[in-house]
């Protein structure tokens, strides 16, 4: 691993997606380091809305670095990066996704993946840049779209026996903060995953043991899964994106170990068992 040194700056770091699973943790870690931050969201003091470009300049002006989390359903990263360059930002760390540069990684996708469009803009910007490509987040089971299944006791997903190297969002945040505040990460693309792959049956068993009650995995067809999301009020575009993303798990494309955490931080990634032990306990999700 390249030796990294802390980059001192008096200009604040802009964190987009500041209330999200990675952004909130990036924000907390930067504050722990005493780094000046701007937490950007629609409801914060630094009001920011991806769909309203009139909110962009205020949060960018005077910022030295940006943690970039795009709106997947309305991706405008190229225009945002252009404004960042114009307003004097020096560094950008982009949250992308695993597999975006792989042909046919996502089934049914005919266009260039939105994250890859963003990556190209970041790479061509002239800024110092780092790109993070995580796989599926462990915290999806406690904070995200899979948490309802844990609460109900049944995880219904169209992933067959596919396994994933679930990545702890604490590790994503640690890599992001290093790239935002230290030297040695410019021009790097970090593929981020956990230390071993687990399928959904193994995930359910680990969470069950921690909770003291049974969580089971029930494989379903993509059609059945999509119908369930639409019945919950998901949009057709959002449903299609989820089915497409999950297809990579079903086809075994998320099961390979990737070394990005070790490359960036010089240590192994946190394991899924560590996440479960920190997160789940008897009675979780029942109140």
């Amino acid at each position: 691993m390249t030796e990294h040194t802390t980059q001192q700056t008096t200009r604040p770091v802009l964190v987009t997606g500041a209330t999200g699973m990675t952004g909130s943790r990036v924000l907390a870690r930067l504050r722990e380091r005493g780094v000046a931050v701007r937490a950007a969201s629609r409801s914060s003091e630094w009001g920011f809305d991806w769909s309203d470009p009139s909110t962009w300049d205020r949060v960018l002006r005077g910022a030295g670095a940006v943690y970039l989390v795009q709106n997947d359903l309305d991706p405008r990263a190229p225009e945002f990066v252009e404004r960042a360059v114009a307003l004097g930002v020096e560094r950008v760390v982009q949250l992308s996704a695993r597999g975006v540069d792989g042909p046919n990684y996502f089934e049914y996708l005919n266009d260039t993946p939105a994250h890859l469009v963003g990556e190209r803009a970041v790479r061509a910007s002239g800024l110092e840049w780092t790109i993070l490509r995580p796989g599926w987040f462990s915290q999806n089971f406690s904070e995200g779209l899979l948490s309802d299944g844990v609460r109900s006791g049944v995880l219904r997903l169209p992933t067959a026996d596919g396994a994933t190297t679930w990545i702890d969002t604490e590790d994503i945040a640690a890599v992001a903060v290093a790239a935002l505040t230290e030297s040695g990460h410019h021009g790097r693309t970090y593929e981020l995953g956990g230390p071993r792959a687990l399928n959904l049956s193994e995930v359910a068993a680990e969470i069950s043991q921690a909770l003291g009650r049974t969580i089971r995995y029930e494989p379903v067809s993509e059609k059945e899964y999509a119908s369930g999301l639409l019945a919950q009020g998901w949009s057709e575009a959002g449903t299609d994106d989820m089915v497409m993303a999950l297809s990579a798990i079903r086809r075994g494309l998320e099961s390979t170990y990737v070394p990005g955490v070790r490359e960036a931080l010089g240590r192994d990634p946190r394991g899924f068992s560590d996440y479960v032990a920190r997160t789940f306990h008897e009675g979780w999700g029942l109140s």
Side-chain angles (χ1 to χ4, degrees):
M1 185 192 77
T2 302
E3 183 176 350
H4 303 301
T5 57
T6 300
Q7 186 90 353
Q8 299 293 335
T9 179
T10 57
R11 295 207 289 161
V13 174
L14 171 64
V15 179
T16 65
T19 59
M21 274 193 279
T22 67
S24 61
R25 289 170 168 84
V26 169
L27 198 64
R29 286 173 177 266
L30 289 170
R31 284 172 171 160
E32 287 172 3
R33 291 192 178 202
V35 177
V37 294
R38 291 178 180 174
S41 71
R42 283 177 289 185
S43 59
S44 70
E45 175 188 355
W46 292 95
F48 173 77
D49 187 339
W50 275 110
S51 64
D52 183 2
S54 70
T55 66
W56 298 359
D57 283 13
R58 176 175 176 264
V59 297
L60 283 166
R61 187 173 287 109
V66 176
Y67 179 58
L68 175 57
V69 182
Q70 71 180 32
N71 178 350
D72 290 349
L73 295 181
D74 184 22
R76 301 189 179 191
E79 300 98 312
F80 184 77
V81 169
E82 183 178 345
R83 292 308 302 155
V85 172
L87 292 168
V89 170
E90 296 177 348
R91 179 177 296 192
V92 60
V93 176
Q94 181 197 357
L95 183 69
S96 184
R98 185 170 178 175
V100 294
D101 62 340
N104 303 316
Y105 194 90
F106 301 107
E107 276 187 322
Y108 322 119
L109 181 65
N110 297 318
D111 299 324
T112 302
H115 283 101
L116 186 58
V117 174
E119 284 190 17
R120 290 170 178 170
V122 166
R123 294 172 191 272
S125 66
L127 302 175
E128 295 183 27
W129 59 266
T130 308
I131 291 168
L132 313 184
R133 288 181 178 168
W136 282 82
F137 300 173
S138 297
Q139 277 75 5
N140 273 313
F141 293 101
S142 52
E143 302 172 32
L145 53 90
L146 304 179
S147 60
D148 285 345
V150 175
R151 289 184 175 89
S152 71
V154 185
L155 291 164
R156 294 184 177 90
L157 292 164
T159 50
D161 292 326
T164 300
T165 57
W166 306 93
I167 176 71
D168 195 318
T169 54
E170 294 290 351
D171 278 344
I172 299 173
V175 174
V177 169
L180 288 163
T181 62
E182 300 172 358
S183 61
H185 301 280
H186 171 52
R188 300 297 301 272
T189 299
Y190 293 122
E191 306 278 347
L192 304 177
R196 66 188 179 100
L198 290 87
N199 63 31
L200 270 295
S201 294
E202 293 168 323
V203 163
E206 290 214 21
I207 296 176
S208 296
Q209 184 173 6
L211 291 176
R213 57 185 173 88
T214 299
I215 309 298
R216 62 185 175 86
Y217 166 54
E218 181 180 309
V220 296
S221 69
E222 291 181 336
K223 183 177 180 180
E224 184 178 355
Y225 179 73
S227 296
L229 293 186
L230 291 169
Q232 295 172 37
W234 281 56
S235 68
E236 287 192 16
T239 297
D240 289 344
D241 281 353
M242 274 301 303
V243 171
M244 180 179 63
L246 287 165
S247 73
I249 299 179
R250 174 176 52 80
R251 292 179 293 138
L253 302 179
E254 294 272 333
S255 62
T256 304
Y257 170 81
V258 287
V261 172
R262 171 157 287 282
E263 291 172 349
L265 303 178
R267 63 164 174 81
D268 290 332
R270 302 166 191 251
F272 189 79
S273 297
D274 177 68
Y275 154 72
V276 169
R278 296 194 327 263
T279 305
F280 296 104
H281 53 81
E282 189 171 348
W284 182 94
L286 298 179
S287 57

